[in-house]
Amino acid sequence: MNAVVFYSNTGQSKAIATYFANQLGYSLTDMETKCAEHYQNLVLVFPVHCQNIPDAVRAFLKKVSVDNLTAVATYGKMCCGNVLYEIQKDYQKNIVAGAYIPTKHSYIDGDDGFCAFDRLKPVMEKIKHPSYIQLPKLYKKPLADIFPNLRSRLGLTIQKNENCSGCNLCGERCSYGAIKTGETNRKCIRCIRCVNACPRQALKIRLSLPLKLYLRKKKANQVIIYI
Ligand SMILES: Cc1cc2nc3c(=O)[nH]c(=O)nc-3n(C[C@H](O)[C@H](O)[C@H](O)COP(=O)(O)O)c2cc1C
């Protein structure tokens, strides 16, 4: 089976995954629907979270077997961490290509999404003519592995306003069981899928000052490709 599987909270990784699926003629699957257990060729697209692999992606990688994996990480122009190397080290050796793609940051309004799709053509070619590669270890900030989910939770709050009708669509869309009718609990990692899912715009994010200052830093806008 050949497929593009994506994990996406605010649509950036989904847009890249859709491009890959259209170009390659592969099926497109949301990781949170029912996925196969074995793939001949798999393109996996997901966001970097606090310089790490999101837990949902780790859980997927644990249960799936793949002959030829292409791993694509989207990141919000801050720091992409070392997630592709970690995938190869911890889960899948059979990697034919990899890419880090800078996109709109989930927490920054008006930021630009990725549109340089031509840059991905060499990756498509490599997928069509696969051979295995060794991914290099990139720089990862020293604090990156210290309670990433907790750091993320402390960085911002999700606030419910009077538009909330109590429909609990936020709860249904949450992968972590972390919100019910607009009230988050301690499982929340601030992926803000719920904020985007709400049809009444009843959920707003409020960034802490340290996170606001961090997000103002000079942006890394680099597409990195391994083939
Ligand atoms: C919880 C969380 C943590 C994030 N951590 C990082 C990070 O460490 N470095 C970075 O450049 N972008 C980071 N981002 C931004 C996302 O990686 C980026 O916006 C991504 O493209 C979002 O993909 P999606 O729309 O498919 O969910 C983070 C976003 C969230 C929600």
Side-chain angles (χ1 to χ4, degrees):
M1 182 182 193
N2 298 332
V4 179
V5 173
F6 67 88
Y7 171 71
S8 185
N9 296 304
T10 59
Q12 301 299 316
S13 308
K14 184 177 179 183
I16 308 278
T18 305
Y19 176 76
F20 271 95
N22 289 341
Q23 291 291 313
L24 295 165
Y26 288 7
S27 62
L28 178 69
T29 311
D30 187 332
M31 187 177 291
E32 287 169 287
T33 63
K34 196 163 165 39
C35 292
E37 281 168 14
H38 176 76
Y39 295 91
Q40 191 180 6
N41 293 293
L42 172 66
V43 181
L44 174 65
V45 190
F46 63 94
V48 171
H49 277 180
C50 298
Q51 296 176 58
N52 281 289
I53 306 166
D55 289 348
V57 178
R58 284 187 187 279
F60 172 78
L61 285 165
K62 258 187 212 156
K63 63 179 188 209
V64 78
S65 77
V66 185
D67 296 337
N68 298 323
L69 175 69
T70 297
V72 178
T74 67
Y75 71 105
K77 304 179 192 139
M78 300 308 297
C79 182
C80 58
N82 200 21
V83 295
L84 299 185
Y85 173 85
E86 287 167 5
I87 284 182
Q88 189 163 44
K89 180 167 75 66
D90 297 343
Y91 302 101
Q92 285 289 338
K93 307 296 170 218
N94 301 345
I95 294 196
V96 302
Y100 287 103
I101 302 184
T103 57
K104 175 190 174 312
H105 196 294
S106 318
Y107 300 156
I108 304 179
D109 283 339
D111 196 11
D112 293 331
F114 181 72
C115 48
F117 286 98
D118 274 1
R119 300 282 311 275
L120 305 179
K121 290 240 159 86
V123 181
M124 293 318 153
E125 285 308 308
K126 185 66 197 298
I127 295 170
K128 289 175 191 161
H129 305 99
S131 64
Y132 298 137
I133 57 169
Q134 194 63 45
L135 295 173
K137 193 171 181 176
L138 295 186
Y139 172 75
K140 187 173 179 180
K141 291 188 182 155
L143 291 179
D145 285 329
I146 301 175
F147 300 118
N149 289 347
L150 178 66
R151 282 190 289 116
S152 164
R153 199 162 77 235
L154 296 177
L156 73 150
T157 49
I158 294 175
Q159 295 174 339
K160 169 168 95 162
N161 64 30
E162 65 286 351
N163 293 344
C164 179
S165 67
C167 72
N168 197 37
L169 191 61
C170 51
E172 285 166 25
R173 295 295 319 278
C174 178
S175 323
Y176 302 95
I179 188 165
K180 197 171 176 194
T181 58
E183 305 289 345
T184 60
N185 62 37
R186 295 181 60 182
K187 293 183 201 154
C188 179
I189 60 152
R190 312 296 193 238
C191 73
I192 69 166
R193 178 180 292 207
C194 55
V195 175
N196 287 278
C198 179
R200 296 170 166 258
Q201 286 82 46
L203 297 171
K204 300 281 174 216
I205 61 170
R206 195 189 173 113
L207 304 181
S208 67
L209 185 61
L211 182 57
K212 256 188 207 160
L213 295 175
Y214 175 68
L215 292 175
R216 272 188 211 159
K217 277 175 59 166
K218 191 170 175 295
K219 302 288 183 272
N221 208 352
Q222 215 187 349
V223 181
I224 305 173
I225 283 172
Y226 302 108
I227 50 176

